[in-house]
């Protein structure tokens, strides 16, 4: 049975509406970058760094070329490398695990809870060994995880605490913006994130001056004075055009996030079909709903129903990290992390972006309730 509203397709994410709205402003900024030929690093990146640090309530924000290199530099800055272990959730985008791997360390996976789908704090301690150096928590789908729980374990076992906030720019934990809770927080400004550059982008926030200096050196060939290389470095700088686009988009972020919150609250309150499960919202978490993920027993039949009614779902993520071929050498098997595995095989993401119209949201809710 198909509900006829319109023939149009509602995608999970469409970046066009947002970029049409701000096109002229962005193009004007691009012209300035062009005139100054400030194509990498420089004033347009510095302006964004200043604004983003203020936004996160941290002393420092460092612009980088993407969120994966942010995770890599976080590991290097903390002195994590070969022989070390870093605890990460099994259900995250794979890049969380690339951080330790690229630094020569080993990611050690922990299952998520069955209802928040965030790292299960009660399952972390059994994974700690004498080699464990850090825990990377992920604010999954834009929702802050149990920061107090992870922090307490880090204190007790003398571990470094890092937030992977790639999906959560502007999310609040107990009223405070994410990004300032751990030793440092890593961000992605990939175009599809809540705050996305016109291009690739990433960054790290921290309150620690020594870390900020280390990141500035590592991201630019291990040099503070040009052509003097005090350590082995990388080219992980943010581009000027990306920085300029992010400065402009940051001004709109709170409004866009609030629109996502409104759409999410409609989904949460008005989707009443008992076959659909949504991410539990603990009281400490004020999510920015980067994604709106649901689970259902028979995913394929729900997908068919959505598609035949003009709704295009997506999947975040279909394979948990420990079951990826890239990590076969870690020797995991099905059943190791049952909640993450259940989520992977039963999840789908509903349309979620600020420019969705109320009619689109009505349609999604109506279609799901008729499933
Ligand atoms: C997107 C993402 C990253 C990686 O960011 P890139 O900019 O794509 O390299 C890392 N962690 C999480 C949780 C992400 O969603």
């Amino acid at each position: 049975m198909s509900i006829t509203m319109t023939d149009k397709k509602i995608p999970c994410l469409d970046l066009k509406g947002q970029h049409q709205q701000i096109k002229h402003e962005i193009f004007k900024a691009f012209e300035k970058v062009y005139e100054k030929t400030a194509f990498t690093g420089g004033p347009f990146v510095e302006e964004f760094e200043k604004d983003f640090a203020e936004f996160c309530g941290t002393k420092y924000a460092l612009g980088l070329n993407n969120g994966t290199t942010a995770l890599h530099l976080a590991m290097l800055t903390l002195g994590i490398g070969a022989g070390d272990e870093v605890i990460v959730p099994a259900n995250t985008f794979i890049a969380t695990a690339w951080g330790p791997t690229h630094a020569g360390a080993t990611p050690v996976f922990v299952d998520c809870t069955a209802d928040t789908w965030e790292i299960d704090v009660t399952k972390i301690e059994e994974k700690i060994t004498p080699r464990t150096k850090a825990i990377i928590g992920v604010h999954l789908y834009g929702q802050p995880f149990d920061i107090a729980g992870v922090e307490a374990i880090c204190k007790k076992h003398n571990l470094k605490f890092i937030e992977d906030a790639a999906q959560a720019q502007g999310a609040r934990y107990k009223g405070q913006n994410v990004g300032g809770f751990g030793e440092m927080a890593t961000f992605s400004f990939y175009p599809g994130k809540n705050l996305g550059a016109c291009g690739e982008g990433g960054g790290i926030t921290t309150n620690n001056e020594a870390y900020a200096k280390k990141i500035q050196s590592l991201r630019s060939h291990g040099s503070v004075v040009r052509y003097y290389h005090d350590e082995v470095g990388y080219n992980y700088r943010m581009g000027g055009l990306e920085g300029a686009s992010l400065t402009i988009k940051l001004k709109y972020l709170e409004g866009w996030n609030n629109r996502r919150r409104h759409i999410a609250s409609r989904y949460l309150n008005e989707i009443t079909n008992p076959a659909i499960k949504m991410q539990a919202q603990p009281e400490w978490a004020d999510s920015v709903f980067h994604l709106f993920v649901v689970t259902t027993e028979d995913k394929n039949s729900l997908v068919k129903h959505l598609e035949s009614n003009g709704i295009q779902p997506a999947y975040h993520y279909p394979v948990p990290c420990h079951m990826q071929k890239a990590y076969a050498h870690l020797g995991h098997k099905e059943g190791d992390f049952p909640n993450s595995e259940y989520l992977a095989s039963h999840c789908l993401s509903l349309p979620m972006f600020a420019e969705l119209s109320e009619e689109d949201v009505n349609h999604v809710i109506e279609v799901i309730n008729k499933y």
Side-chain angles (χ1 to χ4, degrees), residues 65-71 92-98 138-141 164-167 186-191 193 200-202 290-291 317:
N65 56 341
N66 62 65
T68 306
T69 56
L71 284 151
T92 177
F93 179 60
I94 193 73
T96 310
W98 291 156
V138 179
H139 303 303
L140 193 71
Y141 310 144
D164 180 343
Q167 305 186 351
T186 62
F187 288 88
S188 165
F189 305 117
Y190 174 78
K193 303 287 158 103
E200 301 275 355
H290 170 57
L291 297 165
Y317 299 89

Side-chain angles (χ1 to χ4, degrees), residues 288-327:
V288 286
F289 300 96
H290 170 57
L291 297 165
F292 198 94
V293 174
V294 303
T295 63
T296 193
E297 272 310 308
D298 186 354
K299 181 174 88 173
N300 291 340
S301 84
L302 177 58
V303 169
K304 254 199 199 138
H305 176 71
L306 291 173
E307 284 177 344
S308 66
N309 285 287
I311 298 163
Q312 194 55 60
Y315 311 96
H316 301 90
Y317 299 89
V319 182
C321 296
H322 68 289
M323 298 305 291
Q324 297 286 357
K325 278 189 200 153
Y327 284 123

Side-chain angles (χ1 to χ4, degrees), residues 29-104:
F30 283 174
E31 226 172 290
K32 283 193 205 154
V33 176
Y34 199 92
E35 269 153 24
K36 287 203 165 162
T37 62
F39 295 123
T40 184
F44 297 96
V45 173
E46 284 161 20
E47 186 182 5
F48 171 64
E49 290 176 332
K50 195 176 132 288
D51 291 354
F52 195 64
E54 193 178 316
F55 178 79
C56 293
T58 56
K59 282 196 190 141
Y60 307 98
L62 293 311
L64 300 168
N65 56 341
N66 62 65
T68 306
T69 56
L71 284 151
H72 183 196
L73 288 196
M75 296 293 101
L76 296 180
T77 300
L78 294 170
I80 291 166
D84 295 333
E85 294 174 356
V86 177
I87 288 172
V88 301
N91 62 314
T92 177
F93 179 60
I94 193 73
T96 310
W98 291 156
T101 298
H102 289 173

